[in-house]
Each structure stands twice: as structure tokens, then as C-alpha cells.
Amino acid sequence: MIAAAASSDAAPVSATGLTVAHGDRVVQQGLAFEVRRGEIFVVIGASGSGKSSLLRHLIGLRPPVAGCVRIDGEDLYAADPDTQRDLRRRFGVMFQAGALWSAMTLGQNLILPLRLIHKGLPRRACEQQARLKLALVGLDGAFDLMPSELSGGMRKRAALARALVLDPRLLFLDEPASGLDPVNAARLDQLILQLRDHLGTTVVMVTHEIDSVFAVADRALFLDQETKTMTGLDTPQA
């Protein structure tokens, strides 16, 4: 299966004049950036600086107070409902806590979105796709396991497999290494790099793990908590 076609000229995701707020409290303002196709774009900043809130704006879960978010050049919030659904199907999301359905096996967790989006796809094809994505993240043979049977590192990889199951070309990751020991965090970093290098996936990642920033980021966007705006966008080494 192939994700919906995208314009080769438009940035996979971009923000212009974006304001992030919690109620009446402005957290970030004047955010403007473009994510380049095929890069790993990392958002960093102190706890409470609005990293995860920005991500929720980028994936269509919370309309911004001001500004716009574009996916492949299309305004995500100004688009009609059908176009919005199409845009959301172009990306996968890995949430910080994994958000796996606890009453389902890993295989069922991955098959459900396939059955919802591709209603005519035979169950055998759905199972093959789910097994393939689990193998891709190093969970070959875990198809029948329950989320409660997984270690923290395995749960993160399972959540990543589910984010990949619809073959998105754009992937959003919310604190993927949070709660992992250094060894498993490094393994997850390597997996993210492999996805970019071998599948050409564009990755937008929120993290506070400095080691991960230097390990995977092509560019990093720094959100400053005091000035309430972005104060840097460059390679981590700059």
C-alpha cells in the first residue's frame, strides 16, 4: 500500500505565524518553519515550553489560536472535511505513552486501522501488513502478544509499528525515548534513522533527550520558554 500522493514541491509540513496557547495563556507565538522532505526534524525545549502542544496542532488535534499549519501545501484547518481526512491519512503518529489498545493483541492493534481505512482489504492481507511492520521494528514473532506482556522498549517499538502500518511518508513522534534506559533509547534512535534512510520517511520528533537530538536530528527547532517563541532552527551542532 502506498500513501496518498503529495506535491513534490510543497513542504511535507509547515507552520506560519503559529500561536500555541492553553486557554488564555500563550505558550508560544510567531512560530514559522518548514520541514524538508526526507529529514528528521526535532522540536526541543524545556518542560512546559509547548513542544507536545505544538505537535497536537501539527497533527490536527487542536486548532491554533493564530496562524496556519500546512500538510503538503494544504491548510490543514481551513480545508473541507474530506480534504482534512485525506491529509490526516498521509501521516502516522506515535504518542508518548504508546496509546496501544490494552484489550487487543499487537496484531489486532495494527490490523484495526487497516480495516478502518481499507475496508475492502482481505483480512489475510491486513495480517501480512501488520506482521511486516512488527518485523520492521524488531518485533517479529510478537503478533499475538498483549501490550501488558511487553517491556517499555518493546511497547515503544509496537507503537511505532502501528504508526507505520498505513505506510505514511510523514511520521510524528512524541517523546519516543521517554522512560527508556540509555541502551533502549539508543536502539530506538537507530531504528528512526533506519526508517528515514531506507524508507525515505520524513520525521517530526518532539523530545527532551539531548542524546537523541544529536543522534538523529538533521535540524532542531528550539522553543524558548521565557521569550515564548522559537529562538533557534539549525543543525544540532550549529
Side-chain angles (χ1 to χ4, degrees):
M1 288 173 289
I2 301 175
S7 168
S8 59
D9 296 329
V13 58
S14 64
T16 306
L18 204 63
T19 295
V20 178
H22 296 307
D24 295 330
R25 183 171 68 89
V26 172
V27 180
Q28 291 289 325
Q29 57 190 347
L31 303 183
F33 57 86
E34 285 189 350
V35 178
R36 299 166 183 164
R37 199 167 301 280
E39 79 170 337
I40 299 177
F41 184 94
V42 177
V43 180
I44 59 176
S47 178
S49 62
K51 301 185 300 297
S52 292
S53 295
L54 170 59
L55 188 69
R56 285 192 284 273
H57 289 328
L58 298 181
I59 63 177
L61 291 183
R62 179 185 295 175
V65 174
C68 69
V69 173
R70 289 185 173 87
I71 303 293
D72 292 327
E74 295 271 2
D75 190 323
L76 179 59
Y77 291 97
D80 61 76
D82 288 340
T83 301
Q84 284 188 354
R85 281 192 293 270
D86 173 65
L87 293 174
R88 288 190 176 101
R89 289 173 184 174
R90 298 183 190 184
F91 56 77
V93 182
M94 175 186 173
F95 293 99
Q96 182 173 348
L100 297 170
W101 289 290
S102 60
M104 296 181 178
T105 65
L106 293 194
Q108 291 169 336
N109 264 276
L110 269 68
I111 286 173
L112 181 59
L114 287 167
R115 297 295 294 272
L116 290 174
I117 300 300
H118 302 286
K119 298 183 185 299
L121 197 65
R123 182 168 185 84
R124 181 174 178 79
C126 291
E127 181 176 332
Q128 289 175 337
Q129 180 77 347
R131 289 185 183 277
L132 175 64
K133 291 304 187 291
L134 287 170
L136 182 65
V137 301
L139 291 176
D140 192 14
F143 184 86
D144 293 317
L145 293 181
M146 302 296 291
S148 60
E149 299 178 89
L150 306 179
S151 66
M154 292 173 69
R155 195 173 297 113
K156 293 283 189 178
R157 284 183 282 152
L160 183 55
R162 191 177 63 184
L164 291 167
V165 77
L166 293 174
D167 291 326
R169 302 296 289 176
L170 174 61
L171 191 62
F172 291 97
L173 309 177
D174 188 7
E175 298 281 6
S178 176
L180 297 183
D181 61 79
V183 173
N184 278 315
R187 287 174 178 166
L188 190 60
D189 288 341
Q190 287 303 309
L191 178 57
I192 293 167
L193 284 170
Q194 290 169 10
L195 290 172
R196 190 275 308 275
D197 294 342
H198 299 306
L199 300 180
T201 309
T202 301
V203 179
V204 178
M205 183 172 88
V206 165
T207 186
H208 67 273
E209 304 288 346
I210 298 301
D211 288 343
S212 292
V213 175
F214 281 95
V216 306
D218 293 304
R219 291 188 301 152
L221 173 71
F222 182 77
L223 301 182
D224 188 83
Q225 193 170 13
E226 292 187 6
T227 61
K228 293 182 171 54
T229 191
M230 53 187 283
T231 56
L233 174 55
D234 209 329
T235 62
Q237 294 78 17

